[in-house]
């Protein structure tokens, strides 16, 4: 019996049938109006050639990492570095056609996958940085270091691109407030707490992995947190622009794009995960909250609750 606090989003067989009706499948060349704000339930290699050229402002790719993993009805087997590089190249080479000249690309991976990601991404994009985020979850190991971080490679099509650093600032508690000539130096008071808004770096240690008591949690094995996607989307796109996710999975990218007033296109081969995404999108129509993001700023972990309680 599930705990009353378990908020995991699940699907009944009836809900799968209901939400699947909202998915689309392309069989001929489509224009933007036919695919925007849609989930395409099909293999990405059948969808990509039928999508319009140069319509994507922001591409977020979270492909299967180079390890053994089951994704519902589909599984991925670990390959050699060369084989995995060829796999990445097989779809990245086709996706380039879909990107606007000033588009931004983010590619997710772990330590093993990143070897190939940099190699292949460098062929098609300008690689600008690597974000490392702390993923403090999972089993430990007695014969190796516990893998507690993942990478996100930040790339662009060219020299001109969107990066809104003011949209992704982090509000942190100030432990040693400093005053200059009697005035607060780069900090302010909210309630009884002192805070400072800082620029985001390429190391993120304030991301909470979705778990059973969080409203965004699903049964997908590699679900990305909404807070993580919100940072990418706010930094590298503007309201009304198009976000493409060719490996939708649990739907976090499209859900966050909707919450932040962006348009989206998602591709997902698994019917149940595509239906799960549609259910989350329906929920997002009524609830636009993103854990850890409030008041146009990202809050240091647990500090927002402290601020509210102090008030």
């Amino acid at each position: 019996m599930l705990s009353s606090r378990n908020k995991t989003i699940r699907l009944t067989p009836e809900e799968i049938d209901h939400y699947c009706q909202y998915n689309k499948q392309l069989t001929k060349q489509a224009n933007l109006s036919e695919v925007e704000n849609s989930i395409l339930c099909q293999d990405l290699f059948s969808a990509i050639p039928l999508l319009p050229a140069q319509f994507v402002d922001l591409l977020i790719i979270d492909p299967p990492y180079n390890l053994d993993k089951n994704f519902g009805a589909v599984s991925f087997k670990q390959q050699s570095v060369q084989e995995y590089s060829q796999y990445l190249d097989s779809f990245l080479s086709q996706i380039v056609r879909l990107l606007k000249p000033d588009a931004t690309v983010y590619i997710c991976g772990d330590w093993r996958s990143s070897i190939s990601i940099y190699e292949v991404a460098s062929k098609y994009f300008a690689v600008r940085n690597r974000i490392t985020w702390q993923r403090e979850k999972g089993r430990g190991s007695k014969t190796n270091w516990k893998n507690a971080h993942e990478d996100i490679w930040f790339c662009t099509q060219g020299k001109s691109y969107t990066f809104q650093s003011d949209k992704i600032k982090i509000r942190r508690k100030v432990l040693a407030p400093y005053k200059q000539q009697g005035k607060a130096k780069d900090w302010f008071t909210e309630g009884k707490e002192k805070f400072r808004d800082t620029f985001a770096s390429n190391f993120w240690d304030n991301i909470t992995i979705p778990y059973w008591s969080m409203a965004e949690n699903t049964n997908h094995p590699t679900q990305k947190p909404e807070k993580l996607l919100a940072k990418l989307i706010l930094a590298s796109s503007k309201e009304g622009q198009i976000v493409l996710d060719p490996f939708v999975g649990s739907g976090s990218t499209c859900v966050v794009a909707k919450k932040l007033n962006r348009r989206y296109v998602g591709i997902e081969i698994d019917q149940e995960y595509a239906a799960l995404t549609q259910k989350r999108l329906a929920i997002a129509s009524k609830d636009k909250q993103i854990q850890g993001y409030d008041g146009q700023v990202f809050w240091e972990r647990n500090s927002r609750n402290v601020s509210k309680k102090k008030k």
Side-chain angles (χ1 to χ4, degrees), residues 139-147:
R139 298 177 181 177
S141 172
K142 293 183 178 180
T143 59
N144 202 341
W145 303 99
K146 178 181 177 180
N147 186 21

Side-chain angles (χ1 to χ4, degrees), residues 17 34 90-91 161 200 206:
D17 291 338
E34 294 173 311
S90 67
F91 60 80
Y161 57 93
N206 63 340

